Amino acid sequence: MRYVLSYLIGLIFGLGIILGGMANPAKVLNFFDIAGTWDPSLAFVMGGALGVTALGYRFVLKRPAPVLAEIFHVPTVRQIDGRLIGGSVAFGVGWGLAGFCPGGALPAVGTLDPAVLTFTIAMIVGILAAKAVQRG
Amino acid sequence: MTEFTPWASLAGGILIGTAAVLLMGLFGRIMGATGVLAGFVWPSGRDDWAWRASVLAGMVTAPALYFLISGRAVEVEVPVSTLAMIVSGLIVGMGVTFGGGCTSGHGVCGMARVSPRSMVATCVFMIAAFVTVYVTRHVIGGAV
């Protein structure tokens, strides 16, 4: 039952990404192209997602525990360091280069588009490489 | 050009937020694509792996459901070269791992918790993406 629920959550997320236009790199790149073919749609995706999450978390995180788990796994790291900044700069450059962020690419994998699969495999290689470096 | 779609995009955002609230409320987890995927490809335990696998399965089957509901295929238009996709994938993968999150993890869930780390990360990657698109499209002139 719990895996049916987590599957449905992934499905809702994926539908949101698709409906919002984030699975389409051309649309994402146009959002960042204010000086050219600007398409402000993604601001509405971010706004809608942030609004619902901020509101929902207020209720959910007040509870003593999640319904199907023992604790809330909320990040406890507070440090703003070079790793956070450098990693985020790199992510932004990569996002601006091809128009895919991880959340945009993963649902698009289901289209079996060769370019999406290429991006996703490269992204997984990047994640594993960084994890290996972090492990030292 | 892509069509400005404020209502569809707002609806999409609401669905993404709904998924984030449900994942936290039911499983106590952050709905970050980076975190979910990283724990899937670099597992730390069987139970931990299983919920990630099922969330990812849901994401990947979303295009099929979208097609069943709307009768339209998901639009994926890639305006850059294969080499750019590979380079971008590598940089994104490393960046989100060192940065501890991406648009969903930092930009939605972290911002919703008013986490200073997430606010800094989100500002940084948004600015980096704006600058990158400006440079590739208006300075170099679409060379990638």
Side-chain angles (χ1 to χ4, degrees), chain A residues 42-114:
Chain A
L42 295 204
F44 290 76
V45 183
M46 289 289 282
L50 186 53
V52 170
T53 308
L55 205 68
Y57 272 13
R58 283 181 143 233
F59 293 100
V60 160
L61 292 173
K62 263 190 204 145
R63 300 173 51 96
V67 179
L68 298 171
E70 270 138 45
I71 53 161
F72 292 110
H73 294 266
V74 173
T76 49
V77 192
R78 310 283 300 170
Q79 240 173 333
I80 294 169
D81 53 12
R83 194 168 271 213
L84 179 83
I85 309 276
S88 297
V89 169
F91 165 45
V93 170
W95 194 16
L97 211 53
F100 266 137
C101 59
L106 290 173
V109 164
T111 66
L112 302 179
D113 181 295

Side-chain angles (χ1 to χ4, degrees), chain A:
Chain A
M1 182 61 191
R2 48 189 295 125
Y3 296 123
V4 174
L5 289 171
S6 48
Y7 171 82
L8 289 175
I9 291 171
L11 196 58
I12 294 170
F13 180 89
L15 278 180
I17 290 287
I18 292 166
L19 197 58
M22 300 212 53
N24 187 3
K27 200 167 174 68
V28 175
L29 290 176
N30 280 342
F31 172 71
F32 290 119
D33 193 8
I34 296 182
T37 51
W38 194 40
D39 175 354
S41 304
L42 295 204
F44 290 76
V45 183
M46 289 289 282
L50 186 53
V52 170
T53 308
L55 205 68
Y57 272 13
R58 283 181 143 233
F59 293 100
V60 160
L61 292 173
K62 263 190 204 145
R63 300 173 51 96
V67 179
L68 298 171
E70 270 138 45
I71 53 161
F72 292 110
H73 294 266
V74 173
T76 49
V77 192
R78 310 283 300 170
Q79 240 173 333
I80 294 169
D81 53 12
R83 194 168 271 213
L84 179 83
I85 309 276
S88 297
V89 169
F91 165 45
V93 170
W95 194 16
L97 211 53
F100 266 137
C101 59
L106 290 173
V109 164
T111 66
L112 302 179
D113 181 295
V116 181
L117 299 179
T118 305
F119 174 87
T120 306
I121 291 166
M123 177 173 74
I124 290 172
V125 171
I127 291 175
L128 293 175
K131 285 265 184 196
V133 170
Q134 281 181 335
R135 278 285 173 93

Side-chain angles (χ1 to χ4, degrees), chain B residues 51-139:
Chain B
W51 74 264
R52 294 166 193 277
S54 59
V55 170
L56 289 171
M59 288 188 196
V60 172
T61 44
L65 180 64
Y66 178 79
F67 179 74
L68 285 177
I69 296 172
S70 71
R72 281 180 302 179
V74 175
E75 204 179 336
V76 180
E77 192 192 332
V78 180
V80 298
S81 67
T82 305
L83 180 64
M85 291 305 270
I86 295 172
V87 171
S88 164
L90 288 171
I91 305 177
V92 167
M94 288 192 278
V96 294
T97 307
F98 284 118
C102 55
T103 328
S104 46
H106 278 313
V108 175
C109 297
M111 295 270 280
R113 295 188 304 118
V114 204
S115 150
R117 252 174 77 81
S118 291
M119 289 195 267
V120 169
T122 305
C123 288
V124 170
F125 64 64
M126 293 300 284
I127 292 169
F130 276 113
V131 170
T132 303
V133 170
Y134 185 79
V135 170
T136 54
R137 286 196 171 178
H138 302 288
V139 179

